[in-house]
Amino acid sequence: DSVFFAPPSMLSVHAALLLAAACGPDAPPVWPRRFTLVQRRVPDASASVSLATTVTFYDADRGANLIQITPDANASDVVWDLELDSRLSYYFTPSTGQCKEIAMPVGVLRPTWLSNATFLGRKRVNGRDCLAYTKADFIDYYADATTCEPVSWYFHTMRARFDSVFWAPGLAVPNASWLAPPRYCREEASPEPVAAASKKKLKLE
C-alpha cells in the first residue's frame, strides 16, 4: 500500500510545537509517543547498505515501531522492519512473502532513549542549526536547536546517515494492522537470537 502524506496544517504545526520537548546540552530530545518520519538513507562509500528512502511509524503506546525501507535500486523491493515490545523483530518483504523473525533484547525504543547521550555541541547540518549528541559509540543524533525535531542521525556500525525530509509528531500509522506481523511471518520457525555484531540499528534504552 502506498502512503500519502498531506501537507501539515496549522493545527498539525501547532501540535508539533507542543509535542517538541525542550532540549539542550544537558537535556537530549524526548521523542513524542507517536510520530511519522520520512528520511533519506545515505551510506558511506564503505557501507554494505544502499541509498534508500525510509518511513518510520513509531507508536510507543502500541509497543511497535515500523520502518519501511525502499531502496533506490528497486522501489518494488520494500523491506518492512517491525520492532515490537515483545522483544521480537520481523524483517519481511511483502512482495515476496519472505520473513525473518529475530529475538531482540531491547524491544521498542522508549521516548527517553537519548537521556544518557553525550552532548557534542552545536553543528550545522543540512542547513539547520542543530544540537549534536552521541550515544554508546552507536549513533550520532542531530536535533533542530529550536524545535528539537530530528534533522539527521548516523549509525556508526551501519556507516550510514539518515536525513529527515518529513516529520509529523502525533501522526499515526495509516493502517493499524501494519503494526502486527503478517501470517507468513508467524508461520515461520522459532526466532533466532540476534548476534552482537548485528546490532547496527538496535535502539539502546
Side-chain angles (χ1 to χ4, degrees):
D1 294 336
S2 60
V3 179
F4 172 74
F5 296 103
S9 64
M10 289 304 296
L11 179 61
S12 64
V13 170
H14 180 64
L17 293 174
L18 290 176
L19 287 166
C23 57
D26 300 318
V30 175
W31 276 3
R33 297 193 64 80
R34 177 181 295 146
F35 64 77
T36 295
L37 173 64
V38 181
Q39 295 176 299
R40 284 290 294 161
R41 184 177 72 186
V42 182
D44 293 347
S46 59
S48 60
V49 297
S50 62
L51 283 165
T53 296
T54 67
V55 184
T56 299
F57 301 103
Y58 174 81
D59 198 318
D61 294 329
R62 287 174 168 160
N65 186 46
L66 172 63
I67 305 166
Q68 296 172 333
I69 306 164
T70 304
D72 285 11
N74 185 358
S76 66
D77 190 28
V78 182
V79 176
W80 293 40
D81 172 4
L82 177 61
E83 305 161 356
L84 300 175
D85 260 350
S86 63
R87 299 186 186 277
L88 291 176
S89 285
Y90 297 87
Y91 297 87
F92 56 97
T93 306
S95 63
T96 63
Q98 294 179 313
C99 179
K100 179 179 288 187
E101 183 183 79
I102 298 178
M104 290 288 193
V106 174
V108 175
L109 269 179
R110 299 296 173 258
T112 56
W113 69 281
L114 280 167
S115 60
N116 58 349
T118 300
F119 183 62
L120 299 176
R122 296 178 83 104
K123 296 190 177 182
R124 197 78 178 169
V125 178
N126 297 336
R128 298 170 69 174
D129 184 24
C130 293
L131 303 177
Y133 306 85
T134 191
K135 185 167 184 181
D137 193 28
F138 159 70
I139 190 172
D140 295 335
Y141 188 101
Y142 303 94
D144 185 281
T146 301
T147 67
C148 300
E149 67 185 76
V151 172
S152 182
W153 59 62
Y154 178 86
F155 287 119
H156 297 179
T157 304
M158 187 186 291
R159 299 192 300 277
R161 78 174 192 268
F162 290 72
D163 294 331
S164 301
V165 296
F166 177 85
W167 163 248
L171 182 61
V173 63
N175 189 333
S177 68
W178 293 3
L179 300 183
R183 178 174 297 178
Y184 56 83
C185 283
R186 298 192 295 269
E187 292 172 350
E188 293 290 334
S190 299
E192 60 184 74
V194 62
S198 72
K199 296 181 182 177
K200 61 183 180 295
K201 192 177 57 58
L202 253 178
K203 315 293 198 307
L204 303 182
E205 293 180 293

